[in-house]
Amino acid sequence: MDLTLAWAAIIALGLFLYVVLDGFDLGIGILFPFFPDARERDTMMNSVAPVWDGNETWLVLGGAGLLAAFPMVYSVLLSALYLPLVLMLVCLIFRGVAFEIRGKSRRTRQWWDLAFIGGSAGATFFQGVALGAYLSGISVENGQFAGDAFAWVTAFNLFTGLGLLVTYALLGACWLIGKTEGDLQRRVRVVAWPLTLALVATMAVVSLWTPLRVPLVAERWFDGEWFWRCLPVPFVVAGATFAMRRVLQRAHDATPFWLAIGLVFLGYSGLLVSAYPYAILPGITLWDAAAPDSSLSFTLWGAAFIIPVILAYTMLAYWVFRGKVAHDAHYH
């Protein structure tokens, strides 16, 4: 068994679960400005109040796994992306405080709404910027970051930040379709279709822009073997987009959310194909950056215990709080 690949798969799975689970509750904060009614905002927050903090566990797992299995990647990424990652954490803190205080406040509620909106949008944007910077490649010499501290400020990285805002907003809208009813559900359903088109457009732009910007990715995509393997993907994306249109017109409750997850999975798979087998583009492979086998083996036992526990309580939380929500429900 290749321990390096096993750990890479665990981290990739943890990050995907984080993107999907925390993505939709961050998306609700991004959608907040379009739903100014206080009762509707209460309903939107109540739809994620019991699970939002558990969703962030997957981000912690991804970071801890990276430190344990690929310490070189952890130190290089922190050094290269120090400012956007710190700003992301500050935004997450503002958002978490807004979750706790908004429901109990009266005179200052509008300020906590702003904290929720700004925290959600800011955390999402800086996550997208970090993703763009990772795809663009990071300068490494002797196992350490050797680039400029502001190298992440590029048009491509800022665009991926905006692209992630669209992605999370669509996940949030589709989650709300399944959790709400009445006029709020109808208006969220109207918002979901243009967000779907925006997400597909964003995926197309990133798919074209990344090979132009990163020659290594261009070699991967246009290599004969991978080209033919990935050729069906655009047709699958088109099929999922058509299906989304149909289920939104037919007023399905849960199906739009699963289709949105499918679109995110297709985009995420493209990123993994672009990066593999590199831990840091353009030249550090997973095996170059991995910890010794003894460390990988020891920490894998811990992961084998903790991941089922996280999965179990996550599934239990979603099962207990399944169904529609109301504006006057209180989970705190």
Side-chain angles (χ1 to χ4, degrees):
M1 178 183 182
D2 191 320
L3 295 173
T4 302
L5 281 181
W7 260 113
I10 290 171
I11 293 171
L13 175 65
L15 290 177
F16 177 70
L17 290 174
Y18 171 77
V19 166
V20 170
L21 296 179
D22 209 31
F24 75 74
D25 69 55
L26 284 164
I28 288 172
I30 297 166
L31 292 172
F32 238 46
F34 303 100
F35 298 88
D37 182 81
R39 290 164 62 94
E40 291 181 345
R41 287 186 170 185
D42 288 345
T43 304
M44 294 167 73
M45 290 200 78
N46 288 339
S47 73
V48 293
V51 296
W52 73 272
D53 44 0
N55 292 341
E56 295 184 349
T57 305
W58 295 103
L59 181 63
V60 176
L61 176 71
L66 201 62
L67 175 61
F70 302 100
M72 175 184 166
V73 179
Y74 185 88
S75 68
V76 168
L77 290 183
L78 278 186
S79 302
L81 304 172
Y82 185 77
L83 189 55
L85 293 180
V86 166
L87 290 172
M88 179 196 76
L89 292 174
V90 169
C91 290
L92 287 177
I93 291 170
F94 266 95
R95 183 171 177 272
V97 173
F99 252 117
E100 299 297 331
I101 297 181
R102 179 185 177 278
K104 303 176 180 65
S105 65
R106 291 294 177 267
R107 288 181 299 177
T108 59
R109 176 168 289 195
Q110 70 274 21
W111 296 109
W112 295 114
D113 281 350
L114 284 176
F116 185 60
I117 294 167
S120 301
T124 302
F125 177 74
F126 288 114
Q127 284 178 19
V129 168
L131 172 64
Y134 174 78
L135 277 177
S136 299
I138 296 173
S139 179
V140 178
E141 290 181 9
N142 299 320
Q144 296 182 335
F145 174 60
D148 184 84
F150 291 93
W152 54 271
V153 185
T154 68
F156 177 78
N157 300 345
L158 298 178
F159 181 81
T160 54
L162 296 175
L164 203 61
L165 282 170
V166 172
T167 305
Y168 286 0
L170 175 63
L171 286 170
C174 292
W175 170 260
L176 287 173
I177 289 171
K179 298 294 286 185
T180 61
E181 51 194 352
D183 186 58
L184 175 59
Q185 186 194 48
R186 181 187 60 77
R187 288 189 290 123
V188 172
R189 190 176 284 120
V190 170
V191 168
W193 177 237
L195 285 173
T196 303
L197 295 178
L199 173 59
V200 173
T202 300
M203 290 169 65
V205 171
V206 172
S207 298
L208 293 172
W209 200 344
T210 306
L212 291 174
R213 183 174 176 79
V214 187
L216 202 63
V217 174
E219 291 176 17
R220 165 58 52 84
W221 279 108
F222 300 112
D223 169 80
E225 180 185 1
W226 281 102
F227 178 79
W228 291 111
R229 286 182 183 178
C230 298
L231 189 59
V233 172
F235 298 99
V236 178
V237 171
T241 306
F242 177 74
M244 178 70 87
R245 179 66 171 168
R246 295 294 296 271
V247 299
L248 289 173
Q249 287 176 332
R250 296 181 179 183
H252 287 231
D253 272 7
T255 315
F257 185 60
W258 291 109
L259 284 172
I261 291 175
L263 285 169
V264 172
F265 175 76
L266 290 169
Y268 186 74
S269 301
L271 297 179
L272 293 182
V273 169
S274 299
Y276 182 81
Y278 296 99
I280 304 173
L281 292 167
I284 308 295
T285 68
L286 291 167
W287 294 271
D288 292 335
D293 276 358
S294 56
S295 299
L296 294 177
S297 177
F298 177 75
T299 51
L300 195 59
W301 282 105
F305 170 75
I306 197 68
I307 290 176
V309 172
I310 298 173
L311 282 172
Y313 75 65
T314 300
M315 293 169 66
L316 179 63
Y318 279 87
W319 175 256
V320 169
F321 294 100
R322 67 189 182 280
K324 303 289 184 180
V325 294
H327 78 278
D328 56 351
H330 298 288
Y331 297 111
H332 293 286

